[in-house]
Amino acid sequence: MTNPVPEGTSAWDSAQSALFEGDFGRIPEDAGFRGPVACSVTGISYRQLDYWARTGLVVPGIRAAGGSGTQRLYSFHDILLLKVVKSLLDAGISLQQIRQAINHLRERGDNDMSGITLMSDGVSVYECTSEDEVYDLLRGGQGMFAIALDGVVRDIEGTLIELPSEHVNDEAPLARGDDELSLARRRRRTS
C-alpha cells in the first residue's frame, strides 16, 4: 500500500520524501563559516576575501575580524554573494559594475535569491526574475552571460553541508583582549 500524495505535492516530491526523511539541504541560520572555508567553496584567494571585506564589497555577516586572533565568520548568504562576485569577475565584468550588482542584491532585503538570474552584456548587470525578462534581454541579439542563482544556491549548500562550521549561538562572545585560543583555554578550565 502506498501513502497518498498530499494535495499540492507532486508524485516525485512525495516519493523523494518517502526515501529521505529530514531536511538535508538546508544550512542552519546560525552557521558561520571561516575565511578558508569561504575561499574553498567560492574559488577565491584569501587575499581577495580580505580585500573585499575591507572595502565593503562582501563583509562577513556573522562576525567581523576583531583584531589579532579573531576570525571572520561568513553566513551562507555571504558565501553566495562571494560566489556571485567570483562568477562575474570570471566573466570579465568590472569591479565597479559588480559593486553595483551586489549593492542591488543587498538592497532587495531578501536572503532567498534562488529565483533570480543575473545577466550581463559585459558592461551592465541585470536582474531577471521571470522568463519574460530573460527573453526581453536576449531579444536584442546582444551576447549575454547569465548566472541562475538557483544552481549556485544548490551547489553551495551541497558543498557547505560537508564542511566545518561554527554555530554562533553556541559560542560565548569574546571579551576585550580575548582571542579564540584564550577562549578555548577558559572553556577547558571550566569543564
Side-chain angles (χ1 to χ4, degrees):
M1 181 171 170
T2 61
N3 294 333
V5 175
E7 189 174 320
T9 305
S10 72
W12 173 258
D13 291 336
S14 178
Q16 288 297 309
S17 67
L19 290 173
F20 304 104
E21 292 182 14
D23 190 6
F24 296 103
R26 300 296 308 155
I27 304 295
E29 294 272 332
D30 67 341
F33 302 90
R34 292 176 181 239
V37 171
C39 290
S40 170
V41 170
T42 59
I44 63 173
S45 70
Y46 196 82
R47 179 176 243 166
Q48 285 174 306
L49 182 74
D50 182 56
Y51 176 72
W52 295 345
R54 285 186 290 111
T55 61
L57 179 60
V58 179
V59 296
I62 294 183
R63 182 175 67 205
S68 179
T70 62
Q71 289 194 7
R72 298 177 181 111
L73 282 182
Y74 290 86
S75 68
F76 173 80
H77 184 259
D78 300 331
I79 293 176
L80 177 61
L81 290 177
L82 289 168
K83 186 71 170 182
V84 168
V85 171
K86 170 72 167 140
S87 298
L88 292 172
L89 274 176
D90 289 348
I93 308 301
S94 73
L95 198 53
Q96 180 181 6
Q97 287 296 320
I98 292 171
R99 281 188 190 282
Q100 290 177 356
I102 294 300
N103 287 336
H104 172 75
L105 290 174
R106 247 190 237 116
E107 288 169 5
R108 293 179 91 249
D110 184 10
N111 283 344
D112 181 22
M113 293 189 271
S114 57
I116 298 172
T117 299
L118 293 178
M119 298 188 71
S120 177
D121 57 6
V123 178
S124 299
V125 179
Y126 307 93
E127 173 191 338
C128 299
T129 55
S130 72
E131 292 177 12
D132 292 336
E133 291 174 339
V134 172
Y135 177 74
D136 286 344
L137 282 173
L138 294 174
R139 188 173 49 191
Q142 173 75 24
M144 299 292 281
F145 168 82
I147 304 171
L149 295 185
D150 283 341
V152 177
V153 167
R154 282 192 308 274
D155 181 45
I156 291 173
E157 278 182 338
T159 304
L160 284 178
I161 205 78
E162 301 292 324
L163 295 172
S165 68
E166 294 182 23
H167 294 279
V168 178
N169 296 339
D170 296 342
E171 187 175 304
L174 295 176
R176 184 179 187 96
D178 277 349
D179 59 17
E180 290 173 344
L181 182 59
S182 63
L183 182 62
R185 286 181 188 141
R186 190 170 347 136
R187 272 193 228 132
R188 258 186 272 139
R189 277 183 281 188
T190 59
S191 346

